[in-house]
Amino acid sequence: MTINVITISGSLRKASFNTALMRALPALAPAGFRFFEAPSYGGMPVYNADVQAEGFPADVTDFADAIRKADAVVIVAPEYNWTIPGGLKNALDWVSRLDNQPFKDKPVAIQSVTGGAVGGARIQYHLRMALTFLCASVFGTPEVFVGLAHTKFAPGTLELKDEPTRKAVADQLAAFAVFAARHKA
Amino acid sequence: MTINVITISGSLRKASFNTALMRALPALAPAGFRFFEAPSYGGMPVYNADVQAEGFPADVTDFADAIRKADAVVIVAPEYNWTIPGGLKNALDWVSRLDNQPFKDKPVAIQSVTGGAVGGARIQYHLRMALTFLCASVFGTPEVFVGLAHTKFAPGTLELKDEPTRKAVADQLAAFAVFAARHKA
Amino acid sequence: MTINVITISGSLRKASFNTALMRALPALAPAGFRFFEAPSYGGMPVYNADVQAEGFPADVTDFADAIRKADAVVIVAPEYNWTIPGGLKNALDWVSRLDNQPFKDKPVAIQSVTGGAVGGARIQYHLRMALTFLCASVFGTPEVFVGLAHTKFAPGTLELKDEPTRKAVADQLAAFAVFAARHKA
Amino acid sequence: MTINVITISGSLRKASFNTALMRALPALAPAGFRFFEAPSYGGMPVYNADVQAEGFPADVTDFADAIRKADAVVIVAPEYNWTIPGGLKNALDWVSRLDNQPFKDKPVAIQSVTGGAVGGARIQYHLRMALTFLCASVFGTPEVFVGLAHTKFAPGTLELKDEPTRKAVADQLAAFAVFAARHKA
C-alpha cells in the first residue's frame, strides 16, 4: 500500500534543524511511504476574520488542499517560547476556518527538534490539543524529541548523523505506517 | 501612583468581543491606571530567523517599544483551536528575539473571551507558559474567563453589559493594581 | 462484535456526578458495548517505589488486571484544582510501574463533569498526556465536557436528564465504538 | 529578614533524587532563608469527599498547618507519566478543601529532577496551574529543570555534585528570596 505523506516544518529559516529532520524522513521510512513537502505558510497574513470575509488567501487554500490530498501528515516543529511557533499556529488557525476540514480523520505524527536539552516536550502537547480540535487522528507513541540539535546534525549539510535519533525516527515512522494504513483501509 | 498599562487584544477583527472587553477596561479599573492600546501586530510577517537577520520589522520594534514603556500589560485573547491565536503568538515570538527583553519583570494580567461556554480555560495556561519563558511577572488570581460572549455584550455597540462579568473584571483589575504597584515601587 | 469496556470514575464520593455519568453510559451506548466498572482505586496507598519494592498492593494488580481484560476503557473524571484528581493519577502511577503495561494500545475515551461552567476543559488534556505516556490509544473527538452538573442530573437519583448532554455522550460512544472495534479487528 | 521556607518533595522513596535536591537547598540558599521539611503526605488516604465529611485526617491538617506557618514554599518534584505525581496532587487536593486556604498568596518556587533528559518540563506547568487555582503566588523565572539525575548526584550519599546544577539552584533561590521578601514586607 502506498501512503502519501505531507510534511510540514514548523521553522522557516533555510538552515533549520527541523526542516533538516523533515528532509531526513524519506531515508528512514518504511516502504510504501511517499513524502511531499507542504507549500509554505510563510506568506500567510496574520489570521483576521475580516480578511477571511473577503476570501481565503491562496496560500491558505493551497496549504489546505495539499493536506486534503495526502493520506497522512508529519509535523516537525521547534518550540518557541515553550509552545507552538506562532507562524505554524497561524497556518492551523486559517485552515481551521475552512469548510471540508483538511485535518478531519487525517493521521498526524509529530516530531520536534530544539537547541536545548528538552527537545520539545512542551510544544508537542499543545500541538496535540490544536490537532484534536481539528479532528485529526493524532498518532500516540513512540514520541520523538530531538534535543541538543547542533550535536545531532552535520554542520553545513545538516545531515542527520546521530544514530540513536535515526533509530527513534525510524521506529516512529514504522509504527505510524501501521497507524496510517489502518485509516486508509 | 499612576500605572501605565498597555493592552493587547488577541483578535484582529473589528467587531471582536475580545477587543470590546479590552476597551471596557478603563471604565472598570481603579484610579491610577491609564490605558494605552498596543500598536497592531497584524502586519507582522510570520517569524523567520532569516528575515530577522536582515533587521527587525518596524511593526515588531514599535510593538516592543510600547511594551517597554508601559508599567504593566493586560492581554485579552480568544482561544483558537484550544490554544493561543497564532497571530498573537507570532508577535510574542518576534519580541522574544529582541535584546532588552520587553516583557522582563513586566506585570501581565490575562483575560479571555470566547463564544463557547468554556471562556478560554485552555489558552490562558499556554499563554502563561510563553510569558514565563519571557520572564514576565504573570499575575495569578482572580482569573477572568468570559464565555458565551454573545450574551454578555450589547449587539452593535459591543458594550459589556453583563454585570457579573463587569464585577469579575473590576475585581481582577483591583488586585492587579496592587500587584503592578509592587513592581513599580 | 462485543466490546468489553471498563469504566473508571475519577471521583470516589457516593453521590458523585462523574460516577452518575459513568453509570448512564450503558443506556447511551451502541449495541455491542458491554460495560464493567473498574475495581476501586480508593484504597491504594500513595505511590512509593520503596513500597513497590516489597510487592505491588493487591488493589493495584486487581485494577490493572481489569484493564488488561477489557477491550476498551472510558474514564469519567472531575477536574480538581485545574488538573487530574490526585487519586486517579495515583492509580495511573501505580499501574505505570507494572510489566505488561495494561494501557498499551488500549482504546481510551475521556469524559468530564464539573460543577462550574468549564466542564473539565483543563483536566482532559493532562489526562491525555499521561495516557499517551502509557501508550494508550487515546480517542480524539467528539469530546464530552459536562459543566454545571447540578442542572444536568436529577436531584437524588442522579439520573442524567439533560438531553443535549445525553446526545453528546451517545455521539461520542458511537464514534468510540468504531474506533475501539478497529483495535480489536 | 528571616524567611521560613517549607520544602516539599514530590517523591517518597528514601533514595529519591528529588528529596536529595530538596536537602541540598540550605547550602545553596542566600542568608535569611531557614528551611523546614513539610510533614509527609505519604499516609493521606485518596481524597474522597465522603471521608472529608467525617473530618479531615490529621495528616492533612498537619501538612496544611506547616504551609500556613511558613513564609514561602519550595516544591521539588519528579514527573510521573508526563504530569504531577498522584501522591503530591492528592495532598494538594486535600489541602484545597480546607478553609483558610494555606497556599493563598504564599510565594512558591518549583524545581524538578528526572532520570531522563527532559528534567520535568511538563510537570512544572501543570503544577503551576494547580497552584494558581489555590491562589498561590507562583515564582516565575529562572526555572530549574534537572535531567539525567544519576549523573548529577553522588552515588550513595546523593550529594548534589554537578556545578552547573548547583549554580542554577542557587540563582533561583537568590531571585526567590527577593520575590518572597516582597510578600513578607
Side-chain angles (χ1 to χ4, degrees), chain C residues 5 7 18 43 76 87 99 101 113 115 120 123 137 147 152 170 176-177 185:
Chain C
V5 181
T7 56
N18 282 278
V76 187
D99 292 331
Q101 183 47 245
V113 188
I123 184 237
S137 183
K152 310 281 172 68
F176 185 52

Side-chain angles (χ1 to χ4, degrees), chain B residues 4 9 14 20 32 46 53 62 64 67 73-74 82-83 90 103 111 114 116 157 175 183:
Chain B
N4 294 308
S9 171
K14 284 208 185 69
V46 169
D62 288 353
I67 294 165
V73 182
V74 178
W82 288 178
T83 178
N90 186 55
F103 280 103
Q111 303 176 357
T114 65
T157 65
H183 285 75

Side-chain angles (χ1 to χ4, degrees), chain A residues 82 117-119 121-122 125 143 145, chain D residues 82 117-119 121-122 125 143 145:
Chain A
W82 288 178
V118 171
R122 287 165 285 236
Y125 303 98
E143 299 173 280
F145 305 110
Chain D
W82 289 178
V118 171
R122 288 166 285 236
Y125 302 98
E143 300 172 280
F145 305 110

Side-chain angles (χ1 to χ4, degrees), chain A residues 53-90:
Chain A
E54 293 164 19
F56 282 92
D59 281 355
V60 172
T61 53
D62 289 353
F63 185 79
D65 285 343
I67 293 165
R68 284 197 194 98
K69 274 181 210 149
D71 299 311
V73 182
V74 178
I75 301 176
V76 187
E79 187 171 270
Y80 285 179
N81 304 307
W82 288 178
T83 179
I84 306 173
L88 173 62
K89 181 62 187 0
N90 186 54

